[in-house]
Structure formats: structure tokens, C-alpha cells
Amino acid sequence: MADIIAKTRRPGAPSGLAARAGESSCERTPTGVTRALNDAPLPGRAAADKTLLRRPIELLFFAYRDFTGIADRKLATIGFGRAHHRALYFIGRVPGIAVGELLDILCITKQSLAPVLREMLRARYIVQRADAADRRRRRLFLTERGLDLERELTRRQSRLIAKAFAAAGADAARGFDAVLRGMVGGRDRRRFFGQ
Amino acid sequence: MADIIAKTRRPGAPSGLAARAGESSCERTPTGVTRALNDAPLPGRAAADKTLLRRPIELLFFAYRDFTGIADRKLATIGFGRAHHRALYFIGRVPGIAVGELLDILCITKQSLAPVLREMLRARYIVQRADAADRRRRRLFLTERGLDLERELTRRQSRLIAKAFAAAGADAARGFDAVLRGMVGGRDRRRFFGQ
DNA sequence: GCAATTATGTCAGCCATGTTGACGTATTTT
DNA sequence: AAAATACGTCAACATGGCTGACATAATTGC
């Protein structure tokens, strides 16, 4: 499960309006998976397996899938994908961010980012302005339109998290924060989450 | 950020041994992103923005990236990707799972799964056996080899989570569980996490 | 002031992982 | 015997990554 929890998009499936609020919507047959799952002995050598944190691993997988799916469905309506969302989000988060800085946050190549920026520039979700001091650098900003989209997407994901926070309580929310923070590598933790 | 937090693989980059334990490893220039980030005013209309849960959204994005990256690096050494990991994981989790049931959990098409199963069958990580009662159904099992790989991957991800749990405390770990559980859609929650 | 470096963009080709649609085949159900 | 189910496969296509090579403008360093 590098991937357990990873998964890219599912372009076709929940594009339009499919999927009951927040769910994956890919039922096939009402076969006995559920039963099988609950009865399933953990794989192999029981002793060694006990230290494996399968429950949190699976929770991350499914929670992340639903978390991204909720924005993916909106993005699909305008022909954008996750790559657009990531760029849009961080341009909103760091107004005036330079292209190179954005690449550094996203950890992708400029060749991957290029078409994404190009489409969002063309569709007027973002604008570029040369840096006053160093005119080689292109600073990126959201337009009104971009701001609206970014906030709509962030709002959807916020609602899902807020619902979970409300159900689990404030203490749980703090625990959620602390654990995730501990999972983030030093560099990103330092620059995004302090200490 | 459907995607904030999504991101597929980065085949090239941290494939072999690159990346300092658990980190993303894609530094470019020591530009002022960090400063920019901390100083950045939240985007637009401050009032409306207050209800947006940007911190947990970003935590999920970066934590998930590191969580998957830790297994991706191992997978890359044998030419497998996340798709292989997902299938491998759930075949291990539900020994004897039928192909259709696996599709139902993964939410992908059989055409997407086919090459993944084929490669893992050929390389002897999994085996198929016809169901005794209904010989149309192909039940899938891990081989010794597959069990070893699955456990190595799960161990890596478990260690990352265990480290975060240890640092955050048992209460935080429970909160983490409760919040993620609240984020998982009803169907998957029911069949994987009870109630 | 000229050379080197930096920031960005672009073209071309490749790979992994998804999608659809159409069809084939064995097996079970009706 | 016919219909439905479970699975497999072929073909075409999209997304979003990657690499390498090269171009251009602006800044920095000697």
C-alpha cells in the first residue's frame, strides 16, 4: 500500500453527479466481501503480523480516497484534474509564488506542471506577473475566478473534515493533527507546520 | 485539493535509494518559500476563509505523500507500482478473495486490474484457484513470495505510523482513528471498520 | 562588459494507470 | 435450452507523471 491510500483519479466513474454524497459508488454485486473481510484471518505468520498497523493503513486509504473524490467530482465538471487542483491550491495559499517555488512544493518537473499552468492561464483561473526585482521570475496569482474555484474545492473538503471532527470531538481532532504531523517528513513539516 | 493529497507516483525521482528516510527529496533552490508560506495571508475574503480547514487539508496531503512514498520506493525496485500494491494488499487481507470482489474494493475496472494480476501471477506473487462450489469464480491467494512482499510493504508503512503514534501519544492515536473513520463513506466504513 | 548561471518555457518521446466498448468462453441459474 | 454471471482479452484513448534537449531572457560574477 504505497498505494494503499494512493490511487490516482477515476476519470470516468464519479465524474458528473454519481456517487451518494461522499461515497465511492462502485458497487457491483452484493457478494460476501463484507463477511469475508470481517472473518479474514490476518495474513500469514500471526505473530509477526501483530505489529502491523493494518487498521490505520486502511483508514488512511479509504479516507483519502473519499477526501479527494469529493473535489475530483467538481474538478471533472470543468475538465480539470488533480494536477490542476494542487497548483490552484498552492497558488492560492502562497499568492505570488514563483513557478520554481511551486515546483519545489509539488515535487514534480516543470514539464509536468507546464500544461497545467497553461490551461489555467488560458481559462483565466490564474495570472502571471514578472517579479519587480528579478524579472526572470514569474509570480503566480489567482484571479477572482480562480479564487472562487479554489474556495469551492477547499470548502468541499473542509466540510468532510468538519463533519468528522464534529462526530469525533475536539480532542480527537487534536490527535488527528498530532499524528499526521508526525508522519510528515522534516522538510515539509518545518515549512508548513512549524517547529 | 482533491488532490491535495492525492498525487500519483513519482517513478523517476525517489526510486532507488534517494530521499532521506521518509522525506520527499525534491529540493531545488533554497528560495524563500518557507518564509512566504508562513507570512502568506490566507487567500481572499478573510471572513469566509476562516471556516476552511486548510491545516488538516495540508496535513493530509503531505502525510499521505510520505506514507505512500515509503512503499513506492520499495515497489519501484521490483518494477511494481501502486496498482500492484493495492491488489497485493487486499489479496493478503482477504485470502481467497474473488476477482470481482477485489474490483469492488478497489473501485477500478477489470480491464485495469487485468495486467496487474497477470504480472503478479507470472512473477509468482499470487496464485488463482477456482472456487470449489462455483468454478467460474477465481479465488486469489498470496504465495510465500507474495506474503513476504506484502508484509515488507505493510511493515514500512506501519513503522511510519508507529513513529507518529509514539510521538503523539495513545490518545492522539485514538483521535486519529476516530476522525479518519468519520471521513470514510458509509459503505466502506461499514464493511471495513464496523458499525 | 562578457561569460556563466538562473528562471522559465517548449518540443518530443516514453511509461503507468486509469477509462470505454466489444467480444469470447466457461459455468451456473432459471 | 436460454439467460445470466464471472472472468479474460483486445483495441483505442486520456491523464499525469518522467527524461532529455534546447531556447530565451535576465541576473550575477569576474
Side-chain angles (χ1 to χ4, degrees):
Chain A
M1 283 200 144
D3 179 54
I4 248 233
I5 287 186
K7 263 225 94 214
T8 31
R9 294 166 70 198
R10 276 166 297 136
S15 264
L17 306 163
R20 306 172 300 205
E23 300 202 25
S24 311
S25 93
C26 45
E27 286 100 310
R28 295 162 52 89
T29 48
T31 40
V33 194
T34 304
R35 215 196 41 74
L37 266 170
N38 295 333
D39 296 356
L42 292 181
R45 310 107 186 203
D49 213 88
K50 285 217 179 79
T51 67
L52 300 179
L53 304 177
R54 295 190 180 273
R55 180 174 165 108
I57 285 174
E58 290 165 21
L59 276 167
L60 269 169
F61 175 62
F62 290 109
Y64 191 78
R65 173 198 280 181
D66 287 351
F67 174 69
T68 55
I70 230 168
D72 286 347
R73 287 189 283 274
K74 170 69 179 178
L75 288 161
T77 65
I78 52 174
F80 282 0
R82 290 191 180 179
H84 300 85
H85 190 185
R86 276 193 289 271
L88 189 77
Y89 183 88
F90 283 107
I91 294 170
R93 180 71 168 73
V94 189
I97 191 173
V99 173
E101 293 169 343
L102 186 53
L103 292 175
D104 187 46
I105 287 176
L106 299 180
C107 285
I108 58 173
T109 60
K110 61 179 174 173
Q111 294 93 328
S112 294
L113 184 58
V116 169
L117 290 185
R118 200 160 25 206
E119 289 166 47
M120 294 204 300
L121 283 164
R122 259 201 48 238
R124 304 278 167 198
Y125 287 95
I126 60 176
V127 288
Q128 276 185 332
R129 262 174 27 211
D131 181 285
D134 182 345
R135 307 225 322 281
R136 289 172 307 181
R137 312 188 73 195
R138 263 90 156 178
R139 299 198 162 279
L140 303 168
F141 301 86
L142 298 187
T143 59
E144 271 305 302
R145 193 175 162 65
L147 248 164
D148 286 345
L149 177 59
E150 191 281 325
R151 283 175 62 255
E152 165 62 14
L153 295 168
T154 300
R155 196 156 39 218
R156 286 176 177 234
Q157 296 191 311
S158 294
R159 270 198 293 259
L160 179 64
I161 295 173
K163 194 190 74 179
F165 279 179
D171 257 29
R174 274 186 292 274
F176 175 78
D177 185 291
V179 172
L180 286 181
R181 208 168 153 289
M183 292 178 62
V184 175
R187 175 157 157 275
D188 287 329
R189 180 163 67 235
R190 257 171 267 126
R191 63 181 184 182
F192 280 96
F193 309 109
Q195 270 80 282
Chain B
M1 286 207 150
D3 181 50
I4 246 224
I5 287 183
K7 261 226 98 216
T8 30
R9 294 165 70 198
R10 275 166 298 137
S15 264
L17 305 165
R20 306 171 299 205
E23 300 203 21
S24 312
S25 93
C26 47
E27 286 101 308
R28 294 164 51 90
T29 48
T31 41
V33 194
T34 304
R35 215 195 43 73
L37 266 168
N38 295 332
D39 296 357
L42 292 181
R45 311 106 185 202
D49 213 88
K50 285 218 180 77
T51 66
L52 300 180
L53 304 178
R54 296 190 180 272
R55 180 173 164 109
I57 286 176
E58 291 165 20
L59 276 168
L60 271 170
F61 175 62
F62 290 109
Y64 191 78
R65 172 197 283 183
D66 287 350
F67 174 70
T68 55
I70 229 167
D72 286 347
R73 287 189 283 274
K74 170 70 180 176
L75 288 160
T77 67
I78 53 174
F80 281 0
R82 291 190 179 179
H84 300 86
H85 190 184
R86 277 192 290 270
L88 189 77
Y89 183 88
F90 283 107
I91 294 171
R93 180 72 169 72
V94 189
I97 190 172
V99 173
E101 294 169 342
L102 186 53
L103 291 175
D104 186 46
I105 287 177
L106 299 179
C107 285
I108 58 175
T109 60
K110 61 177 173 173
Q111 295 93 325
S112 296
L113 184 57
V116 169
L117 290 185
R118 201 163 21 210
E119 290 166 45
M120 293 203 301
L121 282 165
R122 258 200 49 237
R124 304 276 167 201
Y125 287 96
I126 61 175
V127 288
Q128 277 186 333
R129 263 174 26 211
D131 182 285
D134 182 347
R135 307 227 320 282
R136 289 172 306 180
R137 312 188 76 197
R138 263 90 157 178
R139 298 198 163 278
L140 302 167
F141 300 87
L142 298 188
T143 60
E144 271 304 302
R145 195 177 162 63
L147 248 165
D148 286 345
L149 177 59
E150 191 280 325
R151 282 174 63 254
E152 164 63 13
L153 294 169
T154 300
R155 197 156 38 217
R156 287 177 176 232
Q157 296 192 311
S158 293
R159 272 198 292 261
L160 179 64
I161 295 174
K163 192 190 75 178
F165 278 179
D171 256 30
R174 275 187 291 273
F176 175 80
D177 184 294
V179 171
L180 286 181
R181 206 167 155 291
M183 291 177 63
V184 176
R187 175 157 157 274
D188 288 328
R189 181 163 65 234
R190 256 169 268 125
R191 63 181 181 182
F192 280 95
F193 310 108
Q195 271 81 283

